[in-house]
């Protein structure tokens, strides 16, 4: 396994077996509160991962024992002028859109607190694996703002408009069982096993065609919210992008030869 640090607070681990990378939030003294510097590092790490054709799945993890991420660094924000806040905005947006726009499948491994911007980082992933200690929520209106890392758009896509409105308007926190019941998380595992289970899921996904995975994600994302006819056109475009690829040829050959595919990734 190789490691690469982006700034002081973000660590990327590339697992040599399985084409899986971890984007680890590593600001333990602040429970991974997202400062300007940390947001910039998340964006840079995502840019590097997005360009790495060897990475088939990204897992977003935390090095803190009791938190995934508690959201924006409000201590830093407390010192900001209005001009400072305006200057910070594109940097923080870059962190959330960096995760959201990764071209390969992404999984968040959540334990402890995932609140505000922390939960929005998880929502920016395709799948969320959480352990029994997880506490999630979007409490921004309780401090005079709104979810600004995609929460007002991503949460209703998971749980519906009315449920998202209730959760955002009340600013309430949900413990893991209720979060799983309402669909805020996708897989609930035993305490302490979120990273292990997320990496295992990532390894299963990464065994499939990298060309197929990226195209399937693109179709899922672009087609969401469209009417059926338009959505099927999105799917057809994604199918055409993979139908004549080396991965498609290898996949068919491996199936017929009853062997494991060796994906060329193109």
């Amino acid at each position: 396994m190789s490691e690469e640090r982006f700034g002081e607070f973000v660590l990327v681990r590339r697992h040599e077996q399985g084409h899986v990378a971890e984007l680890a939030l590593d600001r333990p003294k602040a429970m991974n509160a997202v400062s300007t510097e940390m947001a910039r590092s998340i964006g840079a790490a995502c840019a590097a991962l997005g360009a790495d054709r060897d990475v088939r799945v990204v897992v977003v993890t935390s090095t803190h024992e009791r938190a995934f991420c508690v959201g924006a660094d409000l201590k830093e924000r407390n010192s900001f002028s209005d001009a400072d806040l305006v200057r910070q905005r594109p940097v923080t947006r870059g962190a959330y859109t960096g995760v959201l726009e990764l071209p390969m499948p992404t999984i968040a491994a959540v334990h402890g607190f995932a609140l505000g911007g922390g939960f929005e980082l998880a929502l920016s992933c395709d799948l969320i694996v959480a352990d029994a200690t997880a506490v999630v929520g979007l409490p921004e209106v309780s401090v005079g703002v709104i979810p600004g890392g995609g929460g007002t758009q991503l949460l209703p896509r998971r749980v519906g408009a009315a449920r998202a409105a209730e959760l955002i308007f009340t600013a309430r926190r949900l413990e893991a069982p209720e979060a799983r019941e309402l669909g805020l998380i996708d897989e609930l595992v035993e305490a302490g096993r979120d990273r292990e289970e997320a990496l295992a899921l990532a390894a299963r996904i990464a065994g499939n065609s990298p060309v197929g995975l990226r195209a399937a994600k693109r179709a899922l994302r672009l087609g969401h919210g469209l009417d059926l006819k338009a959505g099927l056109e999105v799917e057809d475009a994604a199918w055409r992008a993979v139908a004549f690829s080396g991965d498609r040829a290898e996949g068919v050959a491996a199936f017929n030869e009853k062997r494991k595919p060796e994906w060329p990734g193109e």
Side-chain angles (χ1 to χ4, degrees):
M1 180 172 63
S2 65
E3 294 188 351
E4 180 180 6
R5 187 164 286 280
F6 290 80
E8 185 179 355
F9 303 130
V10 174
L11 180 65
V12 169
R13 302 185 180 109
R14 288 176 172 83
H15 295 253
E16 295 176 2
Q17 302 295 324
H19 302 276
V20 173
E22 280 184 77
L23 191 164
L25 307 176
D26 188 31
R27 195 188 178 200
K29 291 182 180 179
M31 300 181 81
N32 291 330
V34 181
S35 63
T36 305
E37 180 185 347
M38 187 173 179
R40 187 175 289 112
S41 297
I42 292 170
C46 288
L49 289 168
D52 190 339
R53 301 296 298 186
D54 194 52
V55 175
R56 299 180 187 173
V57 186
V58 172
V59 181
V60 181
T61 63
S62 162
T63 64
H64 194 284
E65 292 183 356
R66 295 187 294 109
F68 175 74
C69 173
V70 294
D73 185 344
L74 296 184
K75 290 183 179 179
E76 179 188 57
R77 292 272 182 93
N78 193 46
S79 68
F80 277 8
S81 66
D82 288 351
D84 291 331
L85 194 59
V86 169
R87 281 191 294 269
Q88 188 203 41
R89 180 59 176 162
V91 178
T92 55
R93 283 198 73 187
Y96 299 110
T97 58
V99 175
L100 184 65
E101 294 177 0
L102 281 168
M104 68 285 288
T106 52
I107 304 168
V110 173
H111 59 265
F113 296 111
L115 300 172
F119 189 43
E120 288 173 305
L121 286 173
L123 289 171
S124 296
C125 294
D126 298 300
L127 298 168
I128 301 174
V129 175
D131 82 355
T133 70
V135 178
V136 306
L138 296 175
E140 284 87 346
V141 298
S142 70
V143 293
V145 291
I146 69 165
T152 65
Q153 305 305 304
L154 295 169
L155 188 59
R157 283 167 166 76
R158 274 187 165 266
V159 301
R163 178 63 68 190
E166 183 262 322
L167 295 171
I168 291 171
F169 294 164
T170 62
R172 70 185 181 95
R173 302 177 179 189
L174 289 79
E175 295 187 355
E178 184 181 9
R180 175 67 182 91
E181 181 182 353
L182 296 182
L184 278 74
I185 61 178
D186 302 302
E187 186 173 342
L188 179 58
V189 301
E190 294 178 3
R193 291 183 57 86
D194 54 294
R195 177 177 177 268
E196 180 181 353
E197 295 291 345
L199 287 171
L201 175 58
R204 292 198 298 274
I205 293 171
N208 296 311
S209 158
V211 171
L213 288 171
R214 290 182 180 224
K217 176 167 179 170
R218 191 162 61 249
L220 284 163
R221 286 285 178 87
L222 294 178
H224 187 92
L226 299 179
D227 64 66
L228 180 58
K229 184 176 181 180
L232 289 173
E233 291 302 316
V234 168
E235 181 182 82
D236 186 64
W239 179 87
R240 290 175 185 277
V242 302
F244 309 104
S245 68
D247 274 16
R248 195 276 309 172
E250 169 62 10
V252 173
F255 176 84
N256 283 287
E257 295 166 16
K258 296 181 173 59
R259 59 174 175 82
K260 186 178 178 180
E262 296 183 6
W263 304 114
E266 58 185 22

